[in-house]
Amino acid sequence: MPELPEVETVRRGLAPVMEGQRITRAEVNRPDLRWPFPDRMADRLTGALIERLRRRSKYILADLDTGETLLIHLGMSGRMLISGAMLGDFHHDHPAPAKHDHVVLHMGQGARITFNDARRFGAMDLMGTLDADAHWLMRDLGPEPFANDFNEDYLVARLRGRNTPIKSALLDQRIVAGLGNIYVCEVLHRARIHPARKAGRIAAARIAGLVPLIRQVLDEAIAAGGSSLRDYRQADGELGYFQHGFAVYGREGQPCVTPGCPGTIARIVQSGRSSFFCPQCQR
């Protein structure tokens, strides 16, 4: 599942060809993805101007001049692909329609945005822009990792006394929005905290220290274009490269990269997800 850096990378790739542009024609080629599309979605999108393209947690949000917002969730295999536009040094011509091109947005300056999703775990919805925070997918989300209200005092207070493992606590979207399995593993390694440690039993200073580390890891991942695992691609079809800098994720049995640490990366399963860590330097 794409995490915050992947979704932010896609948003940044889409912004130059979507923000300030009008959707001259929208094609919806099936009635649903993970959930049914909203009623008359193609008609409601056609003619709308995209005023702003933003991200909330793992969702891309396109605010329209119609007073509605288009919510886009990539799911496990969803891709937003651009064609017919100049991207850097490359021009991407319109490809022939593909089997899993479920939604196509024809933009005013000739670009085409295609939502392709082979497994159909992605989603799109339309909602009132003023009521977007109350949408059922977003109403319980915690603060963004880069927001001012996600700070040391906040995280210490939210985790105080919690009996859940620190890994699970950081994956809880009600506590902090957008974090996923990959980047939590990397953050905890940098913090030298074992993923199974009970959140409420970790010293407040160590919990507070997670805030800058979370931002650091996410910043680095966004700069690298995200992590290309399985189906993820950037909006221009290119791969992300942060996976080449993983310290622990997917490195079971390999040496720990912490200078002077003799440890070997191990893997445990927590709530059905693999946690990678170094038993020597993560306590």
Side-chain angles (χ1 to χ4, degrees), residues 173-192:
Q173 299 298 293
R174 297 167 297 182
I175 293 176
V176 55
L179 289 184
N181 195 41
I182 293 173
Y183 299 107
V184 171
C185 286
E186 295 297 310
V187 166
L188 291 176
H189 180 261
R190 294 192 188 190
R192 300 197 177 192

Side-chain angles (χ1 to χ4, degrees), residues 24-65:
T24 58
R25 181 164 59 95
E27 300 175 32
V28 179
N29 299 322
R30 58 175 300 110
D32 57 13
L33 286 175
R34 187 171 183 180
W35 302 289
F37 287 129
D39 184 49
R40 300 177 46 255
M41 187 171 89
D43 292 340
R44 290 158 69 181
L45 290 174
T46 296
L49 179 77
I50 299 176
E51 296 182 329
R52 181 186 176 197
L53 200 67
R54 55 194 173 97
R55 179 194 53 76
R56 178 70 169 111
S57 184
K58 303 175 186 179
Y59 306 106
I60 296 172
L61 303 174
D63 295 332
L64 311 175
D65 67 347

Side-chain angles (χ1 to χ4, degrees), residues 31-222:
D32 57 13
L33 286 175
R34 187 171 183 180
W35 302 289
F37 287 129
D39 184 49
R40 300 177 46 255
M41 187 171 89
D43 292 340
R44 290 158 69 181
L45 290 174
T46 296
L49 179 77
I50 299 176
E51 296 182 329
R52 181 186 176 197
L53 200 67
R54 55 194 173 97
R55 179 194 53 76
R56 178 70 169 111
S57 184
K58 303 175 186 179
Y59 306 106
I60 296 172
L61 303 174
D63 295 332
L64 311 175
D65 67 347
T66 60
E68 291 191 302
T69 291
L70 173 66
L71 177 148
I72 303 166
H73 181 42
L74 299 175
M76 295 180 68
S77 61
R79 302 179 187 179
M80 297 290 289
L81 302 174
I82 301 171
S83 59
M86 296 296 295
L87 297 173
D89 297 327
F90 302 97
H91 184 274
H92 292 249
D93 294 324
H94 294 315
K99 178 180 179 181
H100 301 293
D101 290 351
H102 304 308
V103 177
V104 182
L105 304 179
H106 299 266
M107 308 305 297
Q109 292 190 340
R112 188 168 79 192
I113 312 299
T114 301
F115 185 80
N116 179 284
D117 188 358
R119 303 185 198 180
R120 300 203 302 272
F121 284 127
M124 282 190 175
D125 201 1
L126 280 167
M127 56 196 172
T129 301
L130 296 179
D131 302 323
D133 288 342
H135 188 275
W136 67 276
L137 287 173
M138 297 197 294
R139 63 192 175 204
D140 295 324
L141 292 174
E144 292 285 320
F146 295 108
N148 290 335
D149 54 351
F150 180 71
N151 53 49
E152 288 83 352
D153 290 342
Y154 165 83
L155 192 60
V156 169
R158 285 302 306 266
L159 298 187
R160 184 178 294 120
R162 292 181 68 97
N163 199 39
T164 187
I166 183 63
K167 167 93 178 293
S168 300
L170 293 178
L171 288 176
D172 187 340
Q173 299 298 293
R174 297 167 297 182
I175 293 176
V176 55
L179 289 184
N181 195 41
I182 293 173
Y183 299 107
V184 171
C185 286
E186 295 297 310
V187 166
L188 291 176
H189 180 261
R190 294 192 188 190
R192 300 197 177 192
I193 297 175
H194 194 290
R197 281 282 303 277
K198 301 299 183 184
R201 302 191 65 176
I202 300 172
R206 299 188 76 192
I207 293 293
L210 289 170
V211 172
L213 289 177
I214 287 170
R215 291 172 174 160
Q216 181 185 82
V217 168
L218 294 178
D219 267 332
E220 291 175 12
I222 292 169

